[in-house]
Amino acid sequence: EVQLVESGGGLVQPGGSLRLSCAASGFTFSRFWMTWVRQAPGKGLEWVANIKEDGSVQYYADSVKGRFTISRDNAKNSLYLHMNNLRAEDTAVYSCEGGADADYWGQGTLVTVSS
Amino acid sequence: QAVVTQEPSLSVSPGGTVTLTCGSSTGTVTSGHRPYWFQQKPGQAPRTLIYDTSNKHSWTPARFSGSLLGGKATLTLSGAQPEDEAEYFCLLTYSGPWVFGGGTKLTVL
């Protein structure tokens, strides 16, 4: 059974940092691009970043460029999102996605940025 | 980055047909944008229905189909069922970066 399980969310003050993790199982993680997507409360989906199979290429949404870093460890079947200088507008459920054709989605982890 | 546009809301009668559209601020949507369509119900993770314009996953009901029409990507639901009431998001890829549309809330009544 394919599983993507996110962790690391929580409450953080503006300007703070968090590292999210996504543990993958049930498919060959190292073969696929992986992606972080977020959804603010009551809002739509927003693409955050994605990373090539070997980690050599990353793309970021303008809203997070320079503050967030996506990375992966294929030996651990894990995807990460390092988030710095967090803002209130970064409050959202963060989900990881992967597979050949957006096959697999996690349930997400909630990040709340508030003082 | 580009802006992807969808109808905010649509309604369809049970058994009826409805078409959702997905446009790009950069111009015509082509197969090169690899259009995706996702279904999301309240409290659930998104589920991918359509990828690469018109391809279906094994779990995609046959009543859903994707295509390109009039410079946009389209998702057509033929024979709507009550369980199809959900929000539908399209996604376009721009040689690396992705952009989601704002979503269409589909009501079946």
Side-chain angles (χ1 to χ4, degrees):
Chain A
E1 179 193 5
V2 170
Q3 280 198 312
L4 291 172
V5 180
E6 301 90 343
S7 60
L11 175 64
V12 61
Q13 291 188 337
S17 300
L18 273 180
R19 187 185 85 154
L20 305 183
S21 300
C22 169
S25 59
F27 68 105
T28 308
F29 178 79
S30 61
R31 288 184 56 199
F32 302 110
W33 282 75
M34 294 295 296
T35 300
W36 285 101
V37 174
R38 69 185 181 183
Q39 189 167 30
K43 303 295 185 182
L45 301 174
E46 181 186 11
W47 170 74
V48 174
N50 47 21
I51 186 168
K52 194 177 178 182
E53 296 95 331
D54 62 0
S56 62
V57 178
Q58 307 93 34
Y59 296 103
Y60 296 93
D62 288 346
S63 58
V64 307
K65 200 172 294 182
R67 301 187 299 123
F68 290 12
T69 302
I70 188 172
S71 63
R72 65 191 296 163
D73 185 337
N74 287 342
K76 295 183 178 179
N77 287 340
S78 292
L79 176 72
Y80 305 103
L81 186 67
H82 304 254
M83 305 186 295
N84 295 322
N85 192 18
L86 283 160
R87 306 166 179 167
E89 55 264 36
D90 296 317
T91 294
V93 172
Y94 287 72
S95 301
C96 58
E97 177 281 325
D101 300 299
D103 306 59
Y104 315 126
W105 287 80
Q107 289 295 322
T109 186
L110 176 62
V111 172
T112 303
V113 184
S114 174
S115 54
Chain B
Q1 285 168 336
V3 175
V4 175
T5 55
Q6 297 182 245
E7 299 87 359
S9 63
L10 290 170
S11 62
V12 62
S13 300
T17 296
V18 64
T19 296
L20 288 65
T21 70
C22 177
S24 172
S25 63
T26 62
T28 297
V29 175
T30 71
S31 59
H33 290 102
R34 300 190 64 207
Y36 288 77
W37 290 94
F38 304 91
Q39 178 192 64
Q40 188 178 34
K41 296 182 179 179
Q44 297 184 15
R47 182 173 73 147
T48 310
L49 294 177
I50 300 289
Y51 62 95
D52 283 347
T53 304
S54 58
N55 293 292
K56 301 179 186 182
H57 282 296
S58 58
W59 53 80
T60 304
R63 59 186 179 273
F64 289 95
S65 63
S67 67
L68 297 174
L69 187 66
K72 296 183 178 182
T74 64
L75 175 70
T76 298
L77 170 59
S78 303
Q81 301 296 310
E83 61 265 29
D84 299 327
E85 184 160 298
E87 190 142 25
Y88 292 83
F89 295 92
C90 72
L91 168 72
L92 301 179
T93 66
Y94 294 83
S95 300
W98 293 6
V99 183
F100 283 97
T104 296
K105 186 167 184 177
L106 181 66
T107 302
V108 180
L109 51 72

